[in-house]
Amino acid sequence: MTVFEDLDTLAGHVADGALVALAPEYSWVPMALVRALIRHKVRDLHLLCVPIGGLAADMMIGAGVVGTLEAAAVSLGEAGPAPRFIAAVEGRTMTMRDTTCPAIHTALQASEKGVPFMPLSGLIGSDITSHRDDWKVVDDPLGAGGGPIVLLPAIKPDVTLFHSPRADRDGNVWIGRRRELATMAHASATTLVTVETIEDRDFLADETMAAGTLPSLYVTAIAEVEGGARPLGLTDCYERDMDHIRAYGKAAKTEAGFQAYLDEHVLK
Amino acid sequence: MTVFEDLDTLAGHVADGALVALAPEYSWVPMALVRALIRHKVRDLHLLCVPIGGLAADMMIGAGVVGTLEAAAVSLGEAGPAPRFIAAVEGRTMTMRDTTCPAIHTALQASEKGVPFMPLSGLIGSDITSHRDDWKVVDDPLGAGGGPIVLLPAIKPDVTLFHSPRADRDGNVWIGRRRELATMAHASATTLVTVETIEDRDFLADETMAAGTLPSLYVTAIAEVEGGARPLGLTDCYERDMDHIRAYGKAAKTEAGFQAYLDEHVLK
Amino acid sequence: MTQNYAPEEFLINALAAELDSVDHVAVGALSPVPGSAALLAQALSDGEQEAGQEARTGAALSGPGQGHKMRVSIIHGDANNPFTDGGRELFDCAGQGRIGAFFLGGAQIDGEANINLLGVGPYPNLDKRFNGSFGSAYVYFVIPKIILFAPDHSRRVLVDKVDFISAPGTSAPDVHRPGGPKVLMTGKCVMDFDADRKRFTLKSVHPGVTVEEVLDNTGFDFDVPEDVPETPAPDAERLQLIRTTVGPEIAKTYPGFAQQVLGFQGG
Amino acid sequence: MTQNYAPEEFLINALAAELDSVDHVAVGALSPVPGSAALLAQALSDGEQEAGQEARTGAALSGPGQGHKMRVSIIHGDANNPFTDGGRELFDCAGQGRIGAFFLGGAQIDGEANINLLGVGPYPNLDKRFNGSFGSAYVYFVIPKIILFAPDHSRRVLVDKVDFISAPGTSAPDVHRPGGPKVLMTGKCVMDFDADRKRFTLKSVHPGVTVEEVLDNTGFDFDVPEDVPETPAPDAERLQLIRTTVGPEIAKTYPGFAQQVLGFQGG
């Protein structure tokens, strides 16, 4: 059963070394929770970006939270490259597992369906594939002359993290058309959600709301954190703060600048 | 681009011999469209129930529309067995491809992802599997010691049919939490939809509505047919008419009784 | 013997006993008795929870899922249906290991717990066709506790060997199979199933039923222990719970059943 | 030479010309110029449609998809984003064959149309890391017309051999590959790609650019036909369409770009 907790208790569910799936970068990113994880000095996470990392991933990398990063790309979007990510890869201070967007979606769908692998088209001849020793290129196993195809082993996250505009009193969480959040939660052992507000109603009793709702069945714990995605944006709630993100991108170009950012915006 | 048509024009898109996927039996079944197909004397359909057939399948079978039936089960629910289905199977007048619910969902997901097959747990040792020569039991093709697993070839319907409470002016269709309708449409070459009403708005402009919307991208044509699921039910619109369905179940026990039902409710 | 309960109420009570300590029970289509049993087990579990815990604070928002200790999901139900990801979600959810118990019937069930929901005769040339196998060929493998429910205890249903295996009772060791049959509940008795021995053992007989009667009406061999207890019947308190707590809830999905069998009116 | 258009407007116009007769163009993240090109192609296609068809009747409901002849989907866009099935839908949709054209960039592109979005140096010990490969390793295979877009035409970008193949330009015949690179648009020229010959051919040079300049700034070999025409520049009518029709639409996703480059204010 889902429980309602405060932010620090919620962050406490993330153990060192856990395989953590993070909401897609363009919205619904639980930034307050990410800052709490940094304050808690969580270490050696295997961070899975679904499928692209941004400000959250860069901050976690810079703060030493991430041991292994799995992502199709990391970038601050219009604010440019992700400086701590690039420093960590070029400085070889973190293990990088390169992948491609649909491979992450597909490997999570395999866990969602409880199967050990799923096939995916494309990928053959990419150096991503040749460097992933867990991916396997096989001849069409149906034996129907379909040619070679890549099999991707299931990815089963220990924890999925995201932020949402609202949950109801039963722990059902609104995900709207961000359905990758459902796939992530289905695939994960634990799902931790921060929300702008907890509403005293039942989303599942309303067919219109139900269509965009992740049932509490998949939600381990929820913390109410207003502005929990800031400085990133949240659909229909607030826009991302591009000035803040650009300032971060500039500061984080150096280790000292990044530490100053952490001191001011995360640790204090 | 989606077009708006009348019911008969819509029915005209279904060619003899087509592989037709039909909405799940418990709701959203396009009964008016099914009746139109019977009137149009469409023949030799490969009817795929997703995943269970009921009144619609039984009527189409009785009317000689179906050459091959693929379903996990067919039943009139609380109104008992599906008489024309049982007569057709026992009388060997139709090809029956027995399957199991998740195999249909999975094979449609394979087409949705554009891959030739997908694996599914279970099934091994079932006589369903031993009689499906298109399914293949393979040793874990990852070579990870996962044991044998069944691979299901993709099912790509020519046509998906369903009924919905509403479409918008752009041809986006409300599917609510009936997300199998999205999978079916994604997997199909053509999707034909009847709706209670076409609303002069844009569902995608409203994040709450968008979450339960099938984009027009996947919708070939729409006909406005009020009461288009009757005598079956439609979520939040009307309940199924159990008296009618029970009367059908009784009448259809004989060929003559079925013809009388057709004459009164379908052909006149 | 005079009873103050309907046969269905007896079975609801007996099935609920088998759901003790299950976290999440899912109930398929057309299953009013199993559905009621799951809701009864949930009510009992809630009672234990309340008895065992401190007074709650911050009631409304203290714990989602309405504070139920046991989750009950009724597929396609108009209530207690948590699914929002389409028809596949039940099966995906089971494959994820999130469903602890499920009920399956069988037009035929044999002594190795193979079940047949499809038909009688040599497939595909069946003499008698039933509805079909539904999701049994999958859920029988992945849900840990499958309860076989066969109210019609007869040699027609409980056969030596099923004509068609919709889903096999056991699998070879290399087949991924976290789930399978654990219990058979009939109109006459309860049996436990041992997958290693591929064999049922009589666990209890219902009030008024003898072991001989069970033997006479069962088409397969099974083990009979020295002492066979009687399956507990619902006491007054339990009947009250069935009629006042379970009745209104199951009426949301099966109004006719709730009214005719449990005497629940209105809603 | 004096131009009455911005370089981006020139490229928007040139890219739009490559989208003629495509049913559905999808545009990825961070792609204001390709996004504008797609919207321009849509506007042009609508114009042709209107010119060629009877007067419409029953306007509002005569044809969904707003009556656009060409569909443009802007991924993660705040407008023109039709997707409701999560992050995988773009890729599934492409795998279904429903997307006719897509744009990819490349930090490095070589003469066999291999693209590198990942980094420079011997992987994994990169000297210079870029963002990453995004979905290129998949979409390059399944979308029929991939347009490579490299505004910075230099030997740094257009290399003899990429350091890392994010996605290969061609595949062996037995690999399922309905899609691939067809066109390379740079800041200096347009090239066509022939997968059978694994080779680019110069199609046109932009106004003021010579073939020699293209040769000097390209790190791979390519074919140069006898006559190389000039890439058409946008005429006044086209510029008007870009600024008044495309501008307001792309502003919904890229307000800064619309304002600074296309001079679109407000919205």
mmCIF file of all heavy atoms in Angstrom, chain B residues 41 61 86 100:
data_model
loop_
_atom_site.group_PDB
_atom_site.id
_atom_site.type_symbol
_atom_site.label_atom_id
_atom_site.label_comp_id
_atom_site.label_asym_id
_atom_site.label_seq_id
_atom_site.Cartn_x
_atom_site.Cartn_y
_atom_site.Cartn_z
ATOM 1 N N LYS B 41 -23.009 -7.976 -46.454
ATOM 2 C CA LYS B 41 -22.616 -9.344 -46.826
ATOM 3 C C LYS B 41 -21.099 -9.476 -47.017
ATOM 4 O O LYS B 41 -20.621 -10.097 -47.976
ATOM 5 C CB LYS B 41 -23.340 -9.796 -48.098
ATOM 6 C CG LYS B 41 -24.866 -9.825 -47.955
ATOM 7 C CD LYS B 41 -25.489 -10.586 -49.115
ATOM 8 C CE LYS B 41 -27.008 -10.392 -49.179
ATOM 9 N NZ LYS B 41 -27.694 -10.665 -47.890
ATOM 10 N N ILE B 61 -20.489 -14.488 -36.862
ATOM 11 C CA ILE B 61 -20.301 -15.906 -37.198
ATOM 12 C C ILE B 61 -21.607 -16.480 -37.745
ATOM 13 O O ILE B 61 -21.636 -17.110 -38.806
ATOM 14 C CB ILE B 61 -19.844 -16.691 -35.944
ATOM 15 C CG1 ILE B 61 -18.437 -16.260 -35.534
ATOM 16 C CG2 ILE B 61 -19.903 -18.203 -36.201
ATOM 17 C CD1 ILE B 61 -18.038 -16.697 -34.128
ATOM 18 N N ILE B 86 -20.553 -21.653 -30.920
ATOM 19 C CA ILE B 86 -20.444 -23.067 -30.564
ATOM 20 C C ILE B 86 -20.918 -23.948 -31.721
ATOM 21 O O ILE B 86 -20.273 -24.944 -32.068
ATOM 22 C CB ILE B 86 -21.220 -23.324 -29.255
ATOM 23 C CG1 ILE B 86 -20.400 -22.731 -28.099
ATOM 24 C CG2 ILE B 86 -21.484 -24.820 -29.047
ATOM 25 C CD1 ILE B 86 -21.081 -22.750 -26.763
ATOM 26 N N THR B 100 -4.839 -17.352 -26.272
ATOM 27 C CA THR B 100 -5.050 -16.972 -24.877
ATOM 28 C C THR B 100 -4.893 -15.459 -24.766
ATOM 29 O O THR B 100 -4.121 -14.855 -25.536
ATOM 30 C CB THR B 100 -4.079 -17.756 -23.955
ATOM 31 O OG1 THR B 100 -4.338 -17.431 -22.589
ATOM 32 C CG2 THR B 100 -2.630 -17.437 -24.275
#
